[in-house]
Each structure stands twice: as structure tokens, then as C-alpha cells.
């Protein structure tokens, strides 16, 4: 009986671990750093612009799906606005 209860506990723990690791969509933030002076030196002023799901600038940082963030990052990088980051 002792072996049976231990085996049952192991099965229960394994199913619990598997149930808690559900598939999830990674979310990221899309940020463009703009340097008005054109210089990327350490003391240079930097303006941070956050982008939302529709690829437009927003005031607050927004979380968007990782795939969409990387897609918009490629498009923004082609425009040469500044340094594009996906956080």
C-alpha cells in the first residue's frame, strides 16, 4: 500500500507540473531611441518613443506580442528613425 500511494503522488505531481506550464504568448515592448543631435555619444540627449500594436507612437509603454513587435521593428529600422529595440 505504501508503494501505491507514493506512485500515485508522483503521478499527481507530474500532472500538476505539466498543467502549470501552459503555452503562453511572449509579449514585448517596441521602443525607438531618437538622437536629435545625430550623435550617439554617452552624454547626448536621447528621446525614447514607444510604439503600440498598430505601429504608431504611444505615450505609455505598451506590451504587444513578440512576433508583431519584431515585425514592426524591421519596418521601423528600414526608415532609419533611430535605434530600434524590442524589450
Amino acid at each position: 500500500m505504501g508503494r501505491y500511494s507514493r506512485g500515485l503522488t508522483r503521478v499527481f505531481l507530474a500532472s500538476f507540473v505539466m498543467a502549470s506550464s501552459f503555452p503562453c504568448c511572449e509579449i514585448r515592448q517596441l521602443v525607438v531611441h531618437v538622437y536629435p543631435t545625430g550623435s550617439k555619444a554617452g552624454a547626448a540627449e536621447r528621446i525614447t518613443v514607444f510604439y503600440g500594436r498598430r505601429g504608431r507612437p504611444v505615450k505609455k509603454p505598451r506590451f504587444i506580442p513578440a512576433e508583431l513587435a519584431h515585425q514592426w521593428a524591421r519596418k521601423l529600422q528600414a526608415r532609419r528613425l533611430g535605434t530600434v529595440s524590442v524589450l
Side-chain angles (χ1 to χ4, degrees):
M1 185 141 201
R3 284 185 161 182
Y4 180 72
S5 64
R6 277 189 281 170
L8 186 60
T9 305
R10 287 183 188 150
V11 170
F12 175 72
L13 289 176
S15 64
F16 179 71
V17 170
M18 290 174 67
S20 65
S21 60
F22 57 91
C24 63
C25 176
E26 293 186 18
I27 54 175
R28 300 281 188 251
Q29 293 178 349
L30 181 59
V31 180
V32 176
H33 302 287
V34 181
Y35 300 91
T37 59
S39 172
K40 293 184 181 180
E45 182 183 348
R46 175 176 81 180
I47 299 172
T48 304
V49 181
F50 296 99
Y51 279 78
R53 287 186 179 187
R54 296 183 180 166
R56 295 183 183 158
V58 292
K59 292 182 182 180
K60 296 180 185 178
R62 303 283 185 210
F63 287 108
I64 57 177
E67 185 177 321
L68 186 60
H70 289 289
Q71 177 185 354
W72 281 112
R74 285 190 296 273
K75 289 183 179 183
L76 290 172
Q77 192 172 10
R79 293 183 190 174
R80 298 193 182 266
L81 299 174
T83 304
V84 181
S85 303
V86 178
L87 308 173

